[in-house]
Amino acid sequence: FFFFFFLELDTREWTLVSPTKENPMIPRPRVWHASCVVGRKIYIIAGRDANLEYFNDTWVFDTGSYH
């Protein structure tokens, strides 16, 4: 199981973001990925894992709804 945490900068508190019925998946740990922020959304694109498995995927996290 992989964990995904979100840091609320105003309160400096970490929140565990858990999968939901609407979105049961979270991105696998990775390096050599691209990421950017557009508005309140964080985009994570591609990368690879420690076993040199390359990813060709895109993940979007909405910081307003935690989905």
Side-chain angles (χ1 to χ4, degrees), residues 7-61:
L7 175 61
E8 181 60 57
L9 295 176
D10 294 335
T11 61
R12 296 184 180 168
E13 293 181 3
W14 289 98
T15 301
L16 175 62
V17 178
S18 300
T20 63
K21 289 181 183 178
E22 297 82 24
N23 188 14
M25 299 176 60
I26 58 175
R28 293 175 51 195
R30 61 190 65 211
V31 297
W32 296 101
H33 61 280
S35 61
C36 66
V37 175
V38 178
R40 66 182 204 179
K41 295 183 179 180
I42 301 171
Y43 294 83
I44 301 171
I45 305 154
R48 72 168 178 83
D49 66 10
N51 297 320
L52 299 180
E53 179 182 346
Y54 289 85
F55 304 121
N56 186 22
D57 56 358
T58 300
W59 292 86
V60 181
F61 178 70

